[in-house]
Amino acid sequence: MSNYSVVREFVLLGFSHLHEFQVLLFAFVLLLHVLTVLGNLAVIALTCLDSRLHSPMYFFLCNFSLVEMLVTSTVVPRMLADLLSPHKTMSLAECLTQSFFYFSLGSTNFLILTVMAFDRYVAICHPLRYPVIMSGPVCVRLVVACWVVGFLSIVSPTVQKTRLWFCGPRVIDHYFCDSAPLLELSCSDTHHIKRMDFFLSLLFVLATMLLIVVSYILIVAAVLHIPSSSGRQKAFSTCASHLTVVALGYGSAIFIYVRPGKGHSTHFNKVVALVTAVVTPFLNPFIFTFRNEKVKEVIEDVTRRILVRDPAARR
C-alpha cells in the first residue's frame, strides 16, 4: 500500500446532477422530514399518555414510530445540509457511523414489523389466550430483543469496514454512506464483507418477510371461519394498515439490497432510497395510526379538552 495515498475523506455526489433544482428538493425534503418527526412524536405521545392505547398493539406501534423517526434522522439532516453546500465531504469515521446507525435501525424496524405481525396473529387466531401470550413483560422482552439483535448484527461488518484500505477514487454516488457504494471504492478484498452484507439483507428482509407472510396466511384462514361479515371486516381492517406499511418498506428494501444486479441504475436506486428514507416514514403515521378508529377517538378527546381549557375557544 506504500504506492498509494490513503483516502480518509469522501465526497457525496447526492443530487448534484439536479443543479438549481436542489433548492426545491431541499424545501420538499425539509417539509416532509419536519412533518415526519411531528407525526411520529404525536403517535408516541398519544400512546404514552392515554390509557386506552396501553395495549400490545399500540406499544409496538410506539416503538415502530420511534425507530422510523430515528432511522430517517440518520440520513436526512446530512442530506439537507449537502443540498445547500458546495462541499459535500464526509470523513471515513462519519461515514461508517452513519452507515452503522442507518442499517442497525433499519434491521430493528424489520424485526418490529415481524413482531407486530405475530401480535395480530395471536389476537385473531388465539383471542382467549392473547392476554397471557402477549403479556406486558413478554412485549417488553420482544421489543428489547428487536433492538439488541438489530444493533449487534451490524457490529461485525462495521468493524471489518474500519480495516479496509481506500486509495481512490473517493466519490460516493449517493446522498448517504450506503454500504455497496463505499465498498466499491476500497482497494482491499471486500468479497467477505459483501457476502456478509448480502446474508444480513436476506436475513432481515426476506426471512422476516417470510414470517410475516406465514402469519397472515394463518390470519386469513382464521378470519374466513368467522361467521359474521362484520366480524371478518373488523379483523381484516386491523391488519390492513400493517400490510400496507410492510408492502412499502419491504418492496423498496428488496429492490435496493436483495435484487440481482443491484449495483446498476445508480440514480434510480437513489430515488428509491429517498422514498424509503423520506416519503414512507412521512406516510406511516397516517397509514398505521391516524386512520385507526381508537386513535382518532383519542385525538378528538384530546382536541376537545384543549379547546375547553382555552378561554378564547369558549368565547
Side-chain angles (χ1 to χ4, degrees), residues 28-280:
F28 173 72
V29 172
L30 177 62
L31 175 63
L32 288 191
H33 182 60
V34 171
L35 293 175
T36 297
V37 172
L38 293 177
N40 284 293
L41 282 176
V43 171
I44 295 170
L46 289 173
T47 305
C48 294
L49 298 176
D50 199 289
S51 59
R52 286 170 290 181
L53 302 181
H54 291 176
S55 66
M57 181 176 74
Y58 297 105
F59 174 67
F60 295 137
L61 275 176
C62 180
N63 278 272
F64 179 79
S65 295
L66 177 60
V67 175
E68 284 283 274
M69 185 172 60
L70 292 176
V71 72
T72 188
S73 297
T74 61
V75 296
V76 172
R78 177 59 193 246
M79 179 181 64
L80 290 172
D82 286 343
L83 284 171
L84 298 182
S85 173
H87 306 291
K88 302 174 173 59
T89 59
M90 176 182 283
S91 69
L92 178 60
E94 291 174 324
C95 184
L96 292 178
T97 300
Q98 183 190 60
S99 179
F100 172 75
F101 281 104
Y102 179 80
F103 288 107
S104 297
L105 290 166
S107 302
T108 303
N109 209 357
F110 288 127
L111 293 173
I112 291 179
L113 282 174
T114 307
V115 170
M116 293 170 76
F118 175 72
D119 173 70
R120 291 300 83 207
Y121 159 74
V122 177
I124 294 174
C125 299
H126 304 282
L128 298 179
R129 299 173 56 197
Y130 181 77
V132 177
I133 298 176
M134 301 302 293
S135 64
V138 170
C139 293
V140 171
R141 284 196 290 269
L142 285 172
V143 167
V144 170
C146 291
W147 283 87
V148 171
V149 173
F151 273 77
L152 288 182
S153 62
I154 309 300
V155 170
S156 179
T158 302
V159 170
Q160 293 188 47
K161 288 171 188 174
T162 63
R163 301 169 181 170
L164 296 177
W165 286 91
F166 295 92
C167 46
R170 63 190 190 102
V171 177
I172 299 177
D173 192 5
H174 215 305
Y175 65 86
F176 77 101
C177 190
D178 200 359
S179 180
L182 177 66
L183 293 179
E184 291 299 322
L185 301 180
S186 176
C187 45
S188 303
D189 184 7
T190 60
H191 287 87
H192 177 68
I193 301 178
K194 288 180 179 179
R195 285 195 295 268
M196 184 179 295
D197 281 351
F198 187 68
F199 170 77
L200 290 174
S201 298
L202 291 177
L203 179 65
F204 285 104
V205 179
L206 294 187
T208 56
M209 187 179 70
L210 178 62
L211 292 174
I212 292 174
V213 169
V214 170
S215 297
Y216 274 101
I217 290 174
L218 297 174
I219 288 172
V220 170
V223 170
L224 293 178
H225 287 87
I226 298 177
S228 65
S229 59
S230 61
R232 290 194 297 270
Q233 183 177 358
K234 182 179 179 180
F236 279 127
S237 66
T238 62
C239 302
S241 299
H242 183 256
L243 281 174
T244 304
V245 173
V246 166
L248 289 173
Y250 279 86
S252 56
I254 290 173
F255 180 86
I256 298 173
Y257 297 109
V258 181
R259 70 185 177 92
K262 61 184 178 182
H264 305 292
S265 307
T266 305
H267 290 311
F268 194 57
N269 278 358
K270 283 193 286 189
V271 172
V272 176
L274 182 66
V275 171
T276 304
V278 178
V279 180
T280 303

Side-chain angles (χ1 to χ4, degrees), residues 303-314:
T303 305
R304 192 180 302 114
R305 287 199 296 268
I306 293 174
L307 291 176
V308 168
R309 290 175 184 174
D310 187 358
R314 287 201 297 269

